[in-house]
Amino acid sequence: MPEIVHLAERSPLVSPEELLSGFHPSYRFGEVSFDTYIPDPTHPSQAGAVERLQRFAASIQGRKSKESGGLFGFLKSNKKKASSEPTGLYLDGGFGVGKTHLLASLWHAVPGPKAFGTFVEYTNLVGALSFRQTVDVLKDYTLVCIDEFELDDPGDTVLMSRLMRELADAGVRLVATSNTLPGALGEGRFAAQDFKREIQVLADQFEVLRVDGEDFRHRGLVEAPSPLPDEQLEGVLGQNFPTAGVVAEDDFEALTANLSRVHPSRYRELVKDIDVLVLHNVHTITEQAMALRFVVFADRLYDKDVPVIASGVPFDQLFTEEMMASGYMKKYFRTVSRMTALVREGQLADHS
């Protein structure tokens, strides 16, 4: 029998040191590589992105070799004009085209010290350590990867732009991703233009890599399963996950209430030992603050690849129509996509 826990009753504490130690690809991307990324042949930009990132990784490895070659090598490697490589790369594309897979593959391919985290995780790190201490820690890193760069929060975007500028000035290579808004998927470099505008003085130091394609989470797969009747959740859990170690079982209302009390920087700790999540009575979230917290929570579930079994409304009704058309729409679309994938794993035992 699995151990049953309730996330609604947890209130984890996380030290700044623990936050920093978590800046690596999640379990889902813990062993990926450029070889495990399968480009869609109908979208050549995917294979092109792999080739470009491999060259970028090789340039970083070469620079590290020069830095270890004595004073002459160190001075030569620090002459910015001597390098043909840009300070950073930006992967521009829609949902589920594999940008995070590519970013994690790059992280695995280069020497450390290095950091990998989402935009939100970096802003949380600054909040925990202070801006200056964060710069002092990261300025000696070889590579800093920023997944899901947010373009809809002016304050945090200015903060991250300043952090990236100071790291770039220290010689750190930067690579970022974000999602094109769903309503602009046919409009070329919509998100790239926004990204370059927001990072201001760094814009001309970033090379944009377009990654086109369909959401792999729905490419050739069955439709997302409907929510289950509440009385069937336990049976599906036992059938699909007979050897599960730790199962979180929560009423959706109680879980979201606790998410409002726990800082988002602690959500990774909240779910760190969970094998399966069983949610009773999922309902549409109507408050924006709660919706944004659930976005972060869903990202942590997806990072850890936690299957979900749920009753209530389907996850494509998790947010209101107004939210799905708002300035935060890209976050909500990403959450719907990711939760759909986790429900497919939980209720169909489909790990495609």
Side-chain angles (χ1 to χ4, degrees):
M1 292 291 291
E3 176 187 357
I4 303 297
V5 301
H6 306 290
L7 299 183
E9 299 175 356
R10 290 184 164 185
S11 182
L13 298 177
V14 183
S15 69
E17 292 74 21
E18 289 171 323
L19 277 179
L20 193 60
S21 68
F23 276 76
H24 55 76
S26 66
Y27 167 81
R28 179 178 288 271
F29 300 103
E31 296 182 0
V32 299
S33 68
F34 294 124
D35 290 337
T36 63
Y37 180 85
I38 309 300
D40 185 341
T42 63
H43 295 281
S45 63
Q46 294 186 10
V50 171
E51 190 276 334
R52 181 65 187 92
L53 285 165
Q54 287 175 319
R55 286 193 285 115
F56 191 76
S59 74
I60 295 175
Q61 292 169 334
R63 185 179 70 169
K64 289 294 288 185
S65 297
K66 290 179 181 178
E67 288 177 358
S68 62
L71 179 61
F72 176 76
F74 177 79
L75 293 173
K76 185 176 180 181
S77 68
N78 278 273
K79 290 183 179 179
K80 293 184 178 180
K81 292 184 179 179
S83 174
S84 60
E85 287 293 335
T87 294
L89 299 178
Y90 169 75
L91 306 184
D92 181 34
F95 299 88
V97 298
K99 298 188 305 298
T100 301
H101 186 140
L102 290 170
L103 190 65
S105 299
L106 174 67
W107 188 91
H108 287 300
V110 304
K114 52 194 174 180
F116 182 106
T118 65
F119 179 96
V120 172
E121 288 176 308
Y122 283 104
T123 58
N124 287 338
L125 182 67
V126 171
L129 297 183
S130 80
F131 180 86
R132 182 46 49 195
Q133 189 175 353
T134 301
V135 172
D136 289 343
V137 169
L138 298 180
K139 70 180 182 180
D140 294 325
Y141 279 33
T142 300
L143 174 70
V144 168
C145 297
I146 306 169
D147 201 18
E148 298 160 8
F149 196 98
E150 304 289 4
L151 297 168
D152 46 28
D153 188 315
D156 283 346
T157 303
V158 170
L159 172 70
M160 285 300 296
S161 178
R162 180 185 168 200
L163 176 64
M164 293 166 68
R165 183 174 67 249
E166 296 216 17
L167 295 180
D169 287 346
V172 180
R173 293 288 183 84
L174 306 166
V175 183
T177 77
S178 72
N179 289 317
T180 302
L181 293 172
L185 290 178
E187 299 178 15
R189 296 173 181 267
F190 178 89
Q193 292 172 352
D194 282 0
F195 174 78
K196 285 199 166 187
R197 183 182 66 245
E198 296 298 342
I199 63 172
Q200 301 170 16
V201 297
L202 276 177
D204 61 352
Q205 299 182 44
F206 267 77
E207 177 183 337
V208 174
L209 297 181
R210 180 71 181 178
V211 187
D212 298 296
E214 300 176 6
D215 187 335
F216 82 91
R217 290 180 284 269
H218 306 297
R219 190 189 304 161
L221 299 177
V222 298
E223 292 295 320
S226 299
L228 298 170
D230 204 63
E231 63 272 13
Q232 292 184 17
L233 298 187
E234 185 174 338
V236 172
L237 171 66
Q239 177 181 333
N240 291 348
F241 302 97
T243 61
V246 180
V247 173
E249 184 174 6
D250 284 271
D251 179 78
F252 188 76
E253 183 69 26
L255 171 63
T256 54
N258 195 40
L259 292 181
S260 69
R261 295 187 290 267
V262 176
H263 191 274
S265 65
R266 302 177 185 176
Y267 289 175
R268 189 185 301 278
E269 186 73 11
L270 188 72
V271 302
K272 72 173 185 178
D273 60 339
I274 303 304
D275 296 314
V276 185
L277 173 62
V278 177
L279 282 177
H280 296 270
N281 306 311
V282 174
H283 62 74
T284 301
I285 298 173
T286 58
E287 297 181 0
Q288 186 121 271
M290 186 64 255
L292 293 173
R293 283 177 173 265
F294 195 88
V295 166
V296 179
F297 177 72
D299 286 343
R300 301 293 80 80
L301 290 177
Y302 187 76
D303 286 346
K304 196 176 182 297
D305 197 11
V306 178
V308 174
I309 301 171
S311 66
V313 304
F315 278 98
D316 60 4
Q317 297 177 26
L318 182 62
F319 307 112
T320 66
E321 291 183 7
E322 291 77 13
M323 289 177 181
M324 296 298 284
S326 71
Y328 295 111
M329 63 189 297
K330 70 176 184 294
K331 294 184 179 183
Y332 299 142
F333 271 85
R334 183 180 78 234
T335 296
V336 168
S337 177
R338 290 184 166 186
M339 291 303 297
T340 295
L342 296 179
V343 170
R344 182 180 290 119
E345 291 186 27
Q347 294 178 197
L348 297 182
D350 184 344
H351 301 281
S352 301

